[in-house]
Amino acid sequence: MTTAVSIREVAPRDGLQNEEPIPTDDKVRLIDALSRTGVRRIEAVSFVHPKAIPQMADADEVWARAWHNPGIRYSALIPNTRGAERAIRAGFREIEVVVSAGDTHNRKNLNRSTEESLDDIAALIPLVHEAGATLEVIVATSFGCPFEGDIDPKRVAGIVDRVRADGADRVAFGDTTGMATPRRVRDLLSEVRPELLHFHNTRGTGLANVLTALEFGVTEFDASVGGIGGCPYAPGASGNIATEELVHMLEDMGISTGIDLDALIGVAAMAEGLLGRALPSGVLRAGPRTRLV
Amino acid sequence: MTTAVSIREVAPRDGLQNEEPIPTDDKVRLIDALSRTGVRRIEAVSFVHPKAIPQMADADEVWARAWHNPGIRYSALIPNTRGAERAIRAGFREIEVVVSAGDTHNRKNLNRSTEESLDDIAALIPLVHEAGATLEVIVATSFGCPFEGDIDPKRVAGIVDRVRADGADRVAFGDTTGMATPRRVRDLLSEVRPELLHFHNTRGTGLANVLTALEFGVTEFDASVGGIGGCPYAPGASGNIATEELVHMLEDMGISTGIDLDALIGVAAMAEGLLGRALPSGVLRAGPRTRLV
């Protein structure tokens, strides 16, 4: 099994996008605090229309004011060409775009079919490359669609083939509404492997999914400090796996993450204060297993 | 991998023992509701001194009034000979007793050393057998002690050898304060295997631990509906793994539990009402992955 895992911290973008809006100052504080934990990749903001996602309306200002730690790769999510232009102008060199494996989810999310989104992405890739940036395609609902149910792994594989043929630099699979389970991870990864996996802990299987994916050789995972970001389809339910729970399990297995767990737990505690609600993280609540009474 | 797992539902005893006391009526309602879910084993009560555990002061009455489904094996936890006599008088034929692998934990919990408790258990076994009952020894803090830290798997193996030699019918390993992780499960099960595992989800690894244990051929697990029962050493933290999360993962893997997941989620919702607090169960919150929008 691998001896190192690369974690991308997504709380500032994916996490906050699914919480009540917080002030610009607090977003900058969160990014800066994360930039001091040893994490090497942070999804910082998304450049989306403020009417669609008011939580990210101040993305330009957040990014202008945040510390850009030269040891960290920061990325931005964009929905379209206009968003890509904003991200590149702001200085991002790692850009992400989403397409849903489930057609119904894609239509509700992006107002077009999966096929139409794939055409858009094909047109976007050369623009991103010309600007010297890379494009990661996140395949949402890869492990199941909240409207359609199970997604055939062959359909996901077809999307991966298409975007790789079109020049995408990287592919991630998103467990958008927490439908991944060890069995579904096994089924999908037996068919096709992404560069990165984005799991949720909505139904308690978050770390069990990671464990299964490690067996398939995947070494890059998204996670959100404190488990910030709920599930949009189940009010009150958990969303992203908590970064400190992931680091806690991996480091105990002898798998290096480069992250200082105590520092990360400190950020989770701070984030709880910024958001004003108890965050769904056992390691935040109980501390690491090495913390004795 | 195994095609069936036997789950012992521990909410009525282990769960409620770590919650604010609830009325006798509600305890009976909980047991009776669980007895209709298809679960085949329930840890119903403990016969302990009411000053030590006021939550179980009405154990005799609870058990006298609860439905005894003939298709279910009900068990009781006891601390000593007096407790065993009460359990046998009440009609139990499956009895459990606890000893801690961590000596400090054993002294705080039982006011004697691990060695002294093992002597007590050796004296208890013939009494239990003479009454036609079986004794399961639960080795608490098997995956780590909140006072001493890591526990050498060889120490746990020594305890198992001792109690089996003394005639114990079954051995369970308890993850008393949620210190088990996939790595610790692997380390311990490589050394010695119990009949049953009792994991907590205190640090998010509950189902990842189960997944690891399945690889070692363990097929019996404790779980608590709704995740009832917190962690006594970390206020506000989760304790037991939620039965519905375990059933949800296992059934999705094609591993049969005999339990009706929808009925179980119904009991978890009822339990949330009885306890008057949000329970830490993702499957209760979000429903199974097959529940579409």
Side-chain angles (χ1 to χ4, degrees):
Chain A
M1 199 173 274
T2 182
T3 56
V5 151
S6 174
I7 295 177
R8 179 168 63 189
E9 170 58 54
V10 301
R13 197 290 299 175
D14 185 58
L16 292 184
Q17 185 162 325
N18 289 293
E19 301 281 350
E20 291 295 313
I22 64 171
T24 306
D25 275 355
D26 290 349
K27 294 178 191 174
V28 174
R29 281 183 64 197
L30 179 62
I31 294 174
D32 288 357
L34 287 167
S35 292
R36 287 187 292 268
T37 59
V39 72
R40 297 185 193 113
R41 297 157 79 181
I42 298 178
E43 190 189 49
V45 291
S46 65
F47 292 99
V48 291
H49 198 287
K51 278 194 186 149
I53 313 276
Q55 290 94 332
M56 291 288 130
D58 54 358
D60 278 300
E61 190 185 349
V62 168
W63 182 237
R65 289 175 49 195
W67 177 35
H68 303 183
N69 180 334
I72 297 178
R73 294 157 52 193
Y74 298 92
S75 59
L77 183 82
I78 59 97
N80 50 32
T81 305
R82 188 167 148 66
E85 288 164 354
R86 285 179 65 198
I88 287 162
R89 207 160 45 233
F92 283 96
R93 289 298 168 266
E94 293 203 19
I95 293 173
E96 305 151 16
V97 67
V98 173
V99 60
S100 297
D103 203 66
T104 312
H105 188 267
N106 204 73
R107 286 178 192 279
K108 294 208 182 241
N109 202 28
L110 299 168
N111 204 29
R112 68 200 68 196
S113 70
T114 299
E115 272 306 302
E116 288 168 319
S117 282
L118 290 172
D119 291 341
D120 294 346
I121 290 170
L124 184 63
I125 291 170
L127 299 180
V128 170
H129 285 172
E130 278 160 30
T134 60
L135 190 75
E136 173 179 299
V137 177
I138 302 170
V139 186
T141 67
S142 283
F143 300 93
C145 169
F147 305 106
E148 298 176 16
D150 293 339
I151 296 287
D152 187 344
K154 290 197 194 312
R155 179 173 165 85
V156 179
I159 292 171
V160 172
D161 288 345
R162 164 80 197 267
V163 301
R164 282 186 177 151
D166 288 340
D169 300 280
R170 300 164 40 77
V171 174
F173 290 166
D175 176 25
T176 313
T177 60
M179 291 173 71
T181 58
R183 179 261 175 101
R184 306 293 159 175
V185 173
R186 196 169 290 280
D187 287 353
L188 182 54
L189 297 188
S190 297
E191 186 71 34
V192 55
R193 307 231 179 128
E195 273 73 26
L196 180 146
L197 284 167
H198 176 108
F199 287 127
H200 280 203
N201 193 33
T202 311
R203 293 171 173 93
T205 58
L207 296 183
N209 296 340
V210 170
L211 205 60
T212 305
L214 288 172
E215 288 174 28
F216 282 85
V218 177
T219 60
E220 301 183 27
F221 296 93
D222 278 354
S224 176
V225 68
I228 291 176
C231 176
Y233 296 95
S238 300
N240 294 303
I241 56 176
T243 315
E244 59 275 20
E245 290 193 351
L246 179 58
V247 170
H248 180 261
M249 181 181 81
L250 292 174
E251 295 281 348
D252 183 66
M253 294 171 79
I255 297 175
S256 164
T257 64
I259 296 173
D260 178 332
L261 182 57
D262 285 336
L264 190 67
I265 292 171
V267 179
M270 182 193 93
E272 205 165 59
L274 298 181
L275 290 165
R277 72 174 186 98
L279 293 175
S281 162
V283 171
L284 168 59
R285 207 68 51 226
R289 66 185 293 287
T290 50
R291 187 182 297 171
L292 304 184
V293 175
Chain B
M1 199 173 275
T2 182
T3 57
V5 152
S6 175
I7 295 176
R8 179 167 63 189
E9 170 58 55
V10 301
R13 198 290 299 174
D14 184 59
L16 292 184
Q17 186 162 322
N18 290 293
E19 301 279 351
E20 292 295 313
I22 64 171
T24 305
D25 275 355
D26 289 348
K27 295 178 191 174
V28 174
R29 279 183 66 197
L30 179 62
I31 294 173
D32 289 358
L34 287 167
S35 293
R36 287 186 292 266
T37 60
V39 72
R40 298 186 191 113
R41 298 157 80 182
I42 297 177
E43 190 188 50
V45 291
S46 66
F47 293 99
V48 290
H49 197 287
K51 277 193 187 150
I53 312 277
Q55 290 93 333
M56 292 288 130
D58 54 357
D60 277 300
E61 190 184 350
V62 168
W63 182 238
R65 290 173 51 195
W67 177 35
H68 303 181
N69 180 335
I72 295 179
R73 294 157 54 193
Y74 298 91
S75 60
L77 183 82
I78 59 98
N80 50 30
T81 306
R82 190 168 146 65
E85 288 165 354
R86 285 179 65 197
I88 287 160
R89 205 158 50 234
F92 282 95
R93 289 299 169 265
E94 293 203 19
I95 292 174
E96 305 151 17
V97 67
V98 173
V99 59
S100 297
D103 203 66
T104 312
H105 188 267
N106 205 72
R107 286 179 193 278
K108 294 210 182 239
N109 201 28
L110 299 168
N111 203 27
R112 67 200 69 197
S113 70
T114 298
E115 272 307 302
E116 288 168 319
S117 282
L118 290 173
D119 291 342
D120 293 347
I121 290 169
L124 184 64
I125 291 169
L127 300 180
V128 170
H129 285 172
E130 279 160 29
T134 60
L135 190 74
E136 173 178 299
V137 178
I138 300 170
V139 186
T141 67
S142 283
F143 300 92
C145 169
F147 306 106
E148 298 176 15
D150 292 340
I151 297 286
D152 186 344
K154 290 197 194 313
R155 179 172 165 85
V156 179
I159 293 170
V160 172
D161 287 347
R162 164 81 196 268
V163 301
R164 281 186 177 150
D166 288 338
D169 300 279
R170 300 164 39 78
V171 174
F173 289 165
D175 176 24
T176 312
T177 60
M179 290 173 70
T181 58
R183 180 258 176 104
R184 307 293 159 174
V185 173
R186 194 169 290 279
D187 287 353
L188 182 55
L189 296 188
S190 298
E191 186 73 33
V192 56
R193 309 232 179 129
E195 273 74 27
L196 180 144
L197 284 168
H198 176 107
F199 287 127
H200 280 202
N201 193 33
T202 310
R203 293 170 174 93
T205 57
L207 295 184
N209 296 339
V210 170
L211 206 60
T212 304
L214 287 171
E215 288 174 28
F216 283 85
V218 177
T219 60
E220 300 184 27
F221 297 93
D222 277 355
S224 177
V225 69
I228 291 175
C231 175
Y233 297 95
S238 300
N240 294 303
I241 55 176
T243 315
E244 59 274 21
E245 291 195 352
L246 179 59
V247 170
H248 180 260
M249 181 181 81
L250 292 173
E251 295 280 349
D252 183 66
M253 294 171 79
I255 297 174
S256 165
T257 64
I259 296 174
D260 178 332
L261 182 57
D262 285 336
L264 190 66
I265 292 171
V267 179
M270 183 193 91
E272 203 164 59
L274 298 180
L275 290 165
R277 72 173 185 98
L279 293 175
S281 162
V283 170
L284 169 59
R285 208 66 53 223
R289 65 185 294 288
T290 49
R291 185 181 297 170
L292 304 185
V293 176

